[in-house]
Amino acid sequence: MRAIRRFIVQPVLPEPLRPLAELARNLRWSWHEETKEVFRAIDPDLWESTGADPVQLLSQVSGHRLDALAGDRRFVRNLERVHADLQDYLIGDRWYQRFAAEHPEAPAAIGYFSAEFGISEVLPQYSGGLGILAGDHLKAASDIGAPLIGVGLLYHHGYFIQSLNPQGWQQERYPLLDPNELPISTLVDDDGKPVMIEADIRGVPVKAQLWVCRVGRVPLVLMDTNLEVNPESERLITDKLYGGGSDHRLAQEVLLGIGGMRALREFCRVTGHPTPEVYHANEGHAVLLGLERIREFMTAGDDFDTALERGRAGMVFTTHTPVPAGIDRFGMDAVRHQFTGFDPVPMDRILPLGAEDFAGGDPNVFNMAVLGLRLAQRANGVSKLHGEVSRQMFQPLWPGFDVSEVPIGSVTNGVHARTWLHPEWKEILDSPTDAVDGNEDGWDFRALARIDDSSIWTRKRQMRGQMIAMARERLGRSAAARGHSADWAATALNPHTLTIGFARRGASYKRLTLMLNQPERLKALLNHPSTPIQIVIAGKAHPADDIGKSLIQQMVQFADQDEVRGKVVFLPDYDISLARPLYPGCDVWLNNPLRPLEACGTSGMKAALNAAFNLSVQDGWWDEWYDPAYGWAIPSAETIGSREERDAAEAEALYEIIEREIIPKFYTRDANGIPVDWVRMMRSTISGLGPKVIATRMVRDYVTELYAPAAASAAQVSMDGMAEQLARWKQKVRQAWPGVAVTGIETHLPETVEVGQTHLFDATVRLNGLEPDDVAVELVAGEVGADDELRNVQISRFARCPDCPADGTGAVPFRLQVSSSTPGRVGFTVRVVPDHPLLASRSEMGLSAVATQ
């Protein structure tokens, strides 16, 4: 007989043990070793069998055991100490509070919207790198005291559990998650009633219940439409992460953006939390929040243009997508249907915001990244190279500007060290103070310099052994589930062998099977009698990605061969619980995407934190921070014509590096059996990369480069009439711009000039009714090739020249005196751009009048 409903009966905690409930409901335990030890001490076997889940542990532990613990003075004293530490963590001043004391523009609250959050395996609301990054963002914000509020969706099936069939083909299973068994709580009002929000989705009013997850100091608000009050189809909006087709995805993104803003408002109303001044859309899934903010402002009395300016000033958009195919794009008709009745926002203003109305664009689609760039005054990629790629990709939105001037910056991703560092490394690197040589993250990344070679190498061998134990257990389960013999799994992998890790999404550009380009050569490396390698692989393909699934199948079928079984292994169901021991257990981390298609690639950062060396194409973050002291760069053969030739060339380079550099360094030992050069490189990797790759550095960069400037802009436009004045000014400029032109340029340049020589430039500009202060007249100079295209441009601004003779046409004269600074073939042009103190960049409006001769 099947139950129609479920509920949880939890034991009542004795008074001395009451702090356990708060510790369990705050996910800080997931990165705080001492809190984990408290729960483990309750019942070590039950802790393991519940998957190290405090909520599950407390729901299953016996009353007799709790009574015994309540009388255990040592346990209670330790519990009180850990609970007091949590209270201090939650309320004490940290980096952000010191920053805000010196920077009054710092926001009191920041809304952070994301479609997925990877915080812990006990809250499976993530699919891969984007979600893990978002989870690390919240954790790091908590650690430095940044006042974020996370906003997302509660998926009742989460992401899928991956398994393999007998032929090695990926299988997906979506387990049903019970919110009452998760470390989240219902948001209730003063009367104890669950708080709801409502949003029209596909023309139907949909209600969502709000759940709150505590991530240290940061609240995460999650919306849930699986309510009996909703029609059946609308209950399924929050069924699966990235499940369903385009209509389903649009419904989820409407709920995330439009509903998310309403959820945020309700959370602040009920809890008294400060209202955010800055709103951060993590990827295009969340950018509809900008439309809801426009609706809020217009409901309060603003016209559309004023509301747009007020919303843009305080919005930040992060793109994680280095290729146009990875951007969410919806049919215009679907968007039109969705926002019919989105009063008082007019439809004829909504659709142009996401329109691809530029050269090469598709007029029939609504582009979420384009929408984000138009709704947010500040935007960024997630590594320096990704910022460059993004500026190139979106340059058509800013015609008349050099690629370098496209207003998309970059903040390189980071990883949360307290989550991803092995406990052994944590113990060594954890600083007794909050600052070591100016490092306010609590880490001494140079601590390995004080540890002898033997101790470092012993720890690494133990980590490799722990990873192998985990892998053998998973391999045995997988083999049995596939109907294969599992006997071999007990001896799979060798704790003394050079271990290479590769764990990525199954996307084709990540090239999981590049290592199979020369299978016999790979087999020889795996089976070498004295200096073998072994490879541990994991990763999921999107359920609809048959190409990605076929790559996984190819790898699994190769690993099934008798010659290599147990020496190259594929571990199904890549998640946080698998990843945590995988990174420390590997010696080398492999990443071989097609450059420049990797936006960042944070798995290599996690490996580096654990003293594993990166072996990677210089893409994403590795392009930025590669150094021979930290690993190896696989040369990218981007200039080779065909994909097959490129793969072959890069695979050859990969094998060469492994054979000639990595293997000799690993297996060259001193008299004590220690690879001295390898250990030296381990020290360099942690000391050199540690301060760079941590997420607290990343969040500080967001605060200083994006959040604080956005809050300052939002405050400026919120001053009496400023947003309206800015909107009217932009309207005036756009109306006049077709008639703005550079009408004359005069200079007396010889064909050859010397470095340091000063030149005078005069330009006359027809302003078509604009004032001289409305524009900036600029000299754009740079290297010039045979095609006359400028490269590496330098911008110099003209000043108005009231003493210059007029040309009789009403054009306004401007003058610039500038010196030649670099030798070479130099070209220049003159242009006019809008100029206003509230613009974040000269290119913000996308308007430029460039001299034609």
Side-chain angles (χ1 to χ4, degrees):
M1 189 176 299
R2 187 172 181 270
I4 60 171
R5 295 191 183 180
R6 296 185 294 173
F7 57 94
I8 306 297
V9 179
Q10 290 190 336
V12 177
L13 292 172
E15 186 63 33
L17 304 186
R18 290 293 174 87
L20 286 171
E22 184 178 356
L23 291 175
R25 290 286 172 177
N26 191 314
L27 281 173
R28 188 215 184 194
W29 66 259
S30 68
W31 70 88
H32 191 250
E33 294 300 324
E34 290 182 298
T35 307
K36 289 183 185 179
E37 288 303 318
V38 167
F39 288 113
R40 183 180 288 109
I42 293 174
D43 187 329
D45 292 336
L46 186 58
W47 174 252
E48 295 302 322
S49 67
T50 58
D53 183 343
V55 172
Q56 292 294 321
L57 174 75
L58 294 181
S59 71
Q60 298 179 33
V61 68
S62 70
H64 294 300
R65 177 59 178 162
L66 292 175
D67 290 339
L69 289 170
D72 185 333
R73 294 175 60 186
R74 178 178 296 179
F75 180 87
V76 171
R77 281 199 303 271
N78 189 44
L79 172 60
E80 290 172 346
R81 182 182 61 80
V82 171
H83 184 251
D85 181 75
L86 174 63
Q87 302 311 307
D88 179 66
Y89 174 85
L90 295 177
I91 63 175
D93 283 353
R94 307 185 79 80
W95 176 87
Y96 189 86
Q97 284 64 48
R98 297 191 292 273
F99 174 84
E102 298 175 1
H103 298 83
E105 74 277 12
I110 302 147
Y112 182 85
F113 291 63
S114 181
E116 50 177 305
F117 288 92
I119 301 163
S120 167
E121 59 268 39
V122 305
L123 187 63
Q125 302 292 305
Y126 60 95
S127 70
L130 177 69
I132 300 298
L133 180 279
D136 283 5
H137 197 111
L138 297 193
K139 294 174 188 177
S142 175
D143 285 346
I144 68 170
L148 263 67
I149 307 173
V151 181
L153 305 181
L154 179 66
Y155 304 98
H156 279 259
H157 294 279
Y159 203 51
F160 67 89
I161 291 176
Q162 179 196 48
S163 60
L164 302 172
N165 72 7
Q167 292 74 41
W169 190 259
Q170 173 180 292
Q171 307 290 293
E172 300 94 27
R173 178 170 62 86
Y174 289 89
L176 180 64
L177 304 174
D178 185 344
N180 297 298
E181 297 179 354
L182 301 175
I184 57 178
S185 303
T186 306
L187 181 66
V188 297
D189 60 19
D190 292 340
D191 297 325
K193 295 180 180 178
V195 176
M196 304 277 186
I197 60 100
E198 182 176 291
D200 283 352
I201 301 178
R202 300 180 291 220
V204 177
V206 178
K207 291 187 180 296
Q209 180 177 339
L210 305 186
W211 299 84
V212 179
C213 173
R214 296 289 170 180
V215 186
R217 299 166 69 119
V218 173
L220 170 59
V221 182
L222 300 171
M223 292 169 284
D224 171 15
T225 64
N226 188 21
L227 307 172
E228 292 183 1
V229 68
N230 287 328
E232 182 64 28
S233 59
E234 276 60 47
R235 292 182 65 175
L236 297 176
I237 289 173
T238 55
D239 59 348
K240 300 174 185 176
L241 177 57
Y242 304 142
S246 177
D247 289 345
H248 190 68
R249 176 71 70 90
L250 179 57
Q252 289 185 333
E253 296 188 10
V254 170
L255 181 63
L256 176 60
I258 306 297
M261 280 299 305
R262 298 173 189 181
L264 191 53
R265 298 290 182 244
E266 285 297 288
F267 173 81
C268 293
R269 178 186 67 81
V270 170
T271 64
H273 194 290
T275 299
E277 298 150 62
V278 174
Y279 300 83
H280 184 176
N282 186 43
E283 190 49 273
H285 314 127
V287 296
L288 290 173
L289 73 89
L291 289 185
E292 174 64 6
R293 295 196 70 213
I294 290 173
R295 190 198 63 80
E296 289 179 336
F297 290 130
M298 292 186 69
T299 300
D302 287 340
D303 60 40
F304 178 88
D305 292 293
T306 302
L308 175 62
E309 296 307 326
R310 293 183 66 183
R312 288 186 76 252
M315 184 168 165
V316 173
F317 169 52
T318 297
T319 174
H320 294 258
T321 309
V323 289
I327 296 170
D328 280 340
R329 300 158 85 222
F330 300 104
M332 278 291 182
D333 288 342
V335 175
R336 184 179 292 106
H337 174 66
Q338 168 60 48
F339 288 102
T340 296
F342 191 63
D343 297 331
V345 187
M347 181 67 69
D348 63 354
R349 301 304 300 273
I350 293 175
L351 296 181
L353 288 172
E356 295 186 355
D357 52 358
F358 46 79
D362 183 345
N364 298 312
V365 300
F366 190 87
N367 186 308
M368 300 301 277
V370 169
L371 177 67
L373 293 168
R374 286 173 172 157
L375 289 178
Q377 192 176 45
R378 290 168 175 83
N380 68 285
V382 291
S383 68
K384 283 187 177 178
L385 178 60
H386 181 231
E388 295 172 12
V389 171
S390 297
R391 288 189 287 275
Q392 292 170 0
M393 185 163 66
F394 294 110
Q395 198 273 338
L397 290 171
W398 288 273
F401 291 90
D402 186 73
V403 169
S404 64
E405 299 177 283
V406 171
I408 302 174
S410 65
V411 174
T412 302
N413 283 343
V415 297
H416 187 247
R418 295 197 181 275
T419 293
W420 298 109
L421 267 170
H422 189 281
E424 290 277 354
W425 294 138
K426 273 191 209 178
E427 185 178 353
I428 294 173
L429 302 176
D430 217 346
S431 169
T433 65
D434 286 337
V436 177
D437 295 333
N439 169 25
E440 296 181 306
D441 299 295
W443 299 112
D444 181 1
F445 287 113
R446 293 181 296 182
L448 261 64
R450 299 188 292 272
I451 308 296
D452 62 89
D453 288 359
S454 178
S455 296
I456 292 174
W457 188 239
T458 297
R459 284 176 168 86
K460 189 64 178 181
R461 285 206 322 252
Q462 290 171 346
M463 294 174 199
R464 197 184 304 119
Q466 292 165 1
M467 184 274 288
I468 289 173
M470 175 274 295
R472 288 172 176 174
E473 193 268 335
R474 286 177 177 257
L475 289 168
R477 290 204 314 262
S478 178
R482 295 175 64 197
H484 294 181
S485 170
D487 295 344
W488 63 274
T491 57
L493 304 174
N494 185 322
H496 305 292
T497 295
L498 169 61
T499 303
I500 299 175
F502 183 101
R504 320 289 299 156
R505 282 189 301 113
S508 59
Y509 78 87
K510 294 180 183 286
R511 296 192 295 183
L512 165 63
T513 56
L514 185 70
M515 65 183 79
L516 302 183
N517 193 272
Q518 299 180 41
E520 296 307 315
R521 191 173 181 181
L522 177 58
K523 290 177 183 179
L525 290 171
L526 294 166
N527 290 299
H528 195 281
S530 58
T531 59
I533 69 169
Q534 58 191 9
I535 306 175
V536 183
I537 302 164
K540 295 179 178 180
H542 187 281
D545 182 8
D546 283 347
I547 294 176
K549 290 182 182 181
S550 71
L551 296 176
I552 290 174
Q553 184 181 47
Q554 290 175 48
M555 182 54 68
V556 171
Q557 290 179 347
F558 178 84
D560 282 345
Q561 296 179 40
D562 292 338
E563 299 166 84
V564 298
R565 177 172 285 147
K567 298 173 182 178
V568 54
V569 298
F570 183 89
L571 305 181
D573 204 33
Y574 181 40
D575 67 355
I576 292 174
S577 65
L578 189 160
R580 200 177 287 115
L582 179 60
Y583 299 120
C586 291
D587 301 294
V588 174
W589 194 258
L590 175 61
N591 187 27
N592 44 232
L594 285 167
R595 188 182 192 273
L597 303 184
E598 184 79 272
C600 185
T602 52
S603 65
M605 294 179 168
K606 301 179 186 89
L609 266 184
N610 285 284
F613 311 141
N614 276 265
L615 169 59
S616 176
V617 170
Q618 281 188 248
D619 201 2
W621 77 275
W622 191 236
D623 180 75
E624 191 172 334
W625 290 327
Y626 161 70
D627 187 290
Y630 315 143
W632 297 270
I634 302 169
S636 177
E638 294 169 72
T639 58
I640 291 180
S642 74
R643 169 69 181 272
E644 292 76 14
E645 291 175 313
R646 179 175 180 179
D647 285 353
E650 294 184 16
E652 175 66 26
L654 168 63
Y655 287 122
E656 287 284 319
I657 293 171
I658 292 173
E659 292 169 344
R660 297 189 178 189
E661 300 184 46
I662 296 176
I663 289 175
K665 187 180 288 287
F666 182 86
Y667 284 108
T668 299
R669 309 293 170 91
D670 67 5
N672 297 313
I674 297 171
V676 176
D677 287 346
W678 193 273
V679 172
R680 183 182 300 115
M681 198 166 164
M682 290 171 67
R683 289 192 179 96
S684 297
T685 296
I686 288 183
S687 64
L689 287 177
K692 297 177 181 179
V693 302
I694 52 177
T696 44
R697 184 276 310 155
M698 170 188 72
V699 177
R700 285 198 302 268
D701 287 349
Y702 272 104
V703 168
T704 57
E705 298 174 22
L706 293 167
Y707 295 159
S713 293
Q716 283 184 296
V717 301
S718 295
M719 296 171 65
D720 289 344
M722 288 301 296
E724 184 177 5
Q725 290 177 31
L726 179 61
R728 300 291 87 77
W729 177 84
K730 283 189 174 183
Q731 289 176 344
K732 178 185 74 171
V733 169
R734 288 194 177 98
Q735 289 171 1
W737 205 256
V740 173
V742 179
T743 59
I745 302 172
E746 287 190 20
T747 186
H748 302 286
L749 283 172
E751 287 190 11
T752 302
V753 299
E754 296 179 353
V755 171
Q757 192 171 348
T758 299
H759 320 294
L760 194 65
F761 292 84
D762 286 319
T764 52
V765 178
R766 183 175 67 240
L767 294 177
N768 198 30
L770 297 179
E771 298 298 323
D773 288 345
D774 292 330
V775 301
V777 180
E778 298 175 331
L779 180 76
V780 184
E783 302 169 10
V784 65
D787 58 0
D788 285 333
E789 288 294 322
L790 295 175
R791 299 173 181 83
N792 300 320
V793 299
Q794 299 292 321
I795 310 297
S796 303
R797 181 166 177 166
F798 285 77
R800 189 181 178 190
C801 185
D803 298 329
C804 295
D807 66 357
T809 67
V812 179
F814 291 81
R815 172 166 286 176
L816 169 67
Q817 190 170 355
V818 64
S819 298
S820 297
S821 58
T822 56
R825 185 179 176 85
V826 178
F828 73 89
T829 188
V830 176
R831 73 177 180 199
V832 188
V833 297
D835 186 48
H836 191 282
L838 291 182
L839 297 182
S841 70
R842 64 169 64 87
S843 54
E844 180 175 319
M845 292 183 66
L847 298 176
S848 175
V850 183
T852 57
Q853 59 181 5

